[in-house]
Amino acid sequence: MCGRYTVGVSSQELLESLSVSFPESEAWRSRYSMAPRQPGLVITEQPDAAGELAPVMRKAAWGIKGAVWNKPDINSINAREDSLFKVAKWRELLRGAGATALIPMTGYAEFVAPRSDPSLKVPVFNLR
């Protein structure tokens, strides 16, 4: 996955395009370099006044605490496709043992090593 991501839209644009409630919308501004452990946006389902599940957007720190085996205080940010079923924490989340969320973003940076110098990491931005 990524090491940085962007949310290059206003709170009003998010509300209009995603049809969610966003109680903290006044406090949100576009972000162009979201780093791990910074508060970003997540969309989850919560009961509304009638008891029905409805999508709600809120701020939350980026990372899953305790995802690294034997290191409960470390937040993991990546769940790579090739390790989803090898890491116990990801298996639990995929099987429904934990809460899931949608992360709105307009792009992300993947750090890759060029063939010419594998020790160097170069960010490649992907616009979505």
Side-chain angles (χ1 to χ4, degrees):
M1 185 153 137
C2 57
R4 300 279 177 151
Y5 70 96
T6 63
V7 184
V9 293
S10 69
S11 59
Q12 187 61 36
E13 290 173 294
L14 285 169
L15 289 170
E16 290 172 5
S17 63
L18 299 174
S19 299
V20 298
S21 71
F22 186 18
E24 303 172 79
S25 64
E26 298 302 319
W28 177 254
R29 60 182 172 76
S30 298
R31 299 287 306 270
Y32 295 95
S33 184
M34 294 295 300
R37 292 178 286 289
Q38 287 185 330
L41 299 176
V42 297
I43 299 172
T44 60
E45 287 186 321
Q46 295 180 352
D48 61 12
E52 298 290 324
L53 287 177
V56 175
M57 188 158 43
R58 61 184 175 82
K59 291 183 187 178
W62 178 15
I64 299 175
K65 194 166 209 139
V68 179
W69 191 58
N70 284 339
K71 297 180 182 177
D73 294 332
I74 294 179
N75 280 354
S76 180
I77 61 164
N78 290 332
R80 297 186 64 87
E81 180 182 12
D82 59 349
S83 66
L84 280 176
F85 290 99
K86 294 178 186 174
V87 177
K89 187 57 150 186
W90 304 140
R91 281 195 312 266
E92 291 172 21
L93 291 172
L94 285 169
R95 292 183 180 142
T100 57
L102 176 67
I103 312 298
M105 67 175 69
T106 54
Y108 65 93
E110 180 78 41
F111 292 86
V112 296
R115 290 185 180 143
S116 60
D117 186 359
S119 65
L120 180 67
K121 295 284 185 164
V122 179
V124 176
F125 184 74
N126 297 283
L127 185 60
R128 295 287 173 194

